[in-house]
Amino acid sequence: MDLTSLTRLPEMASTDRAELDKLLKDCLVGHLAFTVDQQPVVLPTAIARDGDQVLLHGSTGAGWMRGVARGGPVSLAVTSVEGLVVARSAFESSMHYRSAVIFGSCAVLEGDAKSKALDLLTDHLLPGRVAEVRRPTTKELAATLVLGLPIETWSLKVSDGWPEDPPADVDGPAWAGIIALRTFYGEPIAAPDLHPGIDVPGSIRCLTTTGQFNG
């Protein structure tokens, strides 16, 4: 079974690994699909790319994490929605997006690889944060399971075109075009128990100054 060939709009397929890496850099969350007792399950989880693998983490108490750690087949879907394609009919209207699915099995990361992966996940969500906070305790590390999903079998689809209305609709009165979608970080709100005199750190100032979402 070919898992990576697109049967719908194959012209949108991309085999550019650099494009896949860019999508993984731009996304904070992926949806992991697997089976539990022959039932399909899909769960959202924080992700980060580390070379040729995608990192996932969670509590050792989470049954789904322990199940995935046993090496069964999984698929990870990642999507960035970037605009609305407004056609002259509802049928032709669509979205601008980049989406990928990675297929494989996860491996458990231990020791230095585990610590490095947790640092990378933290800095992917909030760049520079690792240098601002204490190191994880032995107890915290023991309570956390870290998995790596190899980037070996994958498909990538990119939709970035204009509306494709038939000539009869182009001659009609309806508006058509693109509406870009942008996501930005807002102003930080201090925790109610934050002690006076603790300033907003550099990692957060960087995000809120630019307003850019994980870019």
Side-chain angles (χ1 to χ4, degrees):
M1 181 180 181
D2 186 355
L3 297 173
T4 61
S5 294
L6 299 182
T7 57
R8 172 67 178 153
L9 300 176
E11 66 274 14
M12 293 184 181
S14 173
T15 58
D16 187 343
R17 173 58 193 272
E19 285 290 334
L20 175 64
D21 290 350
K22 176 66 165 58
L23 174 61
L24 292 171
K25 177 181 181 295
D26 291 342
C27 290
L28 305 182
V29 173
H31 288 79
L32 189 72
F34 50 95
T35 58
V36 176
D37 297 330
Q38 298 184 328
Q39 291 294 320
V41 178
V42 177
L43 289 178
T45 184
I47 61 166
R49 184 181 70 86
D50 180 18
D52 289 329
Q53 65 179 344
V54 177
L55 303 174
L56 318 167
H57 80 300
S59 169
T60 54
W64 74 269
M65 284 288 292
R66 296 197 304 272
V68 170
R70 286 193 284 268
V74 302
S75 60
L76 178 73
V78 182
T79 303
S80 174
V81 178
E82 296 165 346
L84 298 179
V85 179
V86 183
R88 296 169 179 85
S89 67
F91 180 82
E92 294 292 347
S93 296
S94 60
M95 295 181 180
H96 275 180
Y97 62 87
R98 293 173 293 151
S99 66
V101 182
I102 301 171
F103 303 91
S105 298
C106 294
V108 178
L109 303 185
E110 301 282 6
D112 291 343
K114 178 179 181 178
S115 296
K116 176 190 172 186
L118 288 172
D119 286 349
L120 197 153
L121 278 159
T122 298
D123 273 350
H124 178 61
L125 297 172
L126 190 57
R129 188 59 174 163
V130 168
E132 299 170 345
V133 294
R134 64 167 175 80
R135 301 301 300 162
T137 66
T138 301
K139 183 177 180 180
E140 289 170 341
L141 288 173
T144 305
L145 187 60
V146 182
L147 306 176
L149 175 62
I151 304 173
E152 295 175 348
T153 304
W154 52 274
S155 66
L156 174 63
K157 189 174 183 179
V158 179
S159 170
D160 57 3
W162 291 98
E164 296 183 354
D165 291 303
D169 287 340
V170 172
D171 292 336
W175 187 88
I178 304 296
I179 304 173
L181 174 63
R182 299 287 183 264
T183 303
F184 296 93
Y185 289 103
E187 288 298 314
I189 302 173
D193 58 354
L194 185 71
H195 291 305
I198 299 179
D199 295 330
V200 174
S203 63
I204 297 174
R205 286 200 309 271
C206 181
L207 291 182
T208 56
T209 297
T210 64
Q212 192 171 358
F213 182 80
N214 197 43

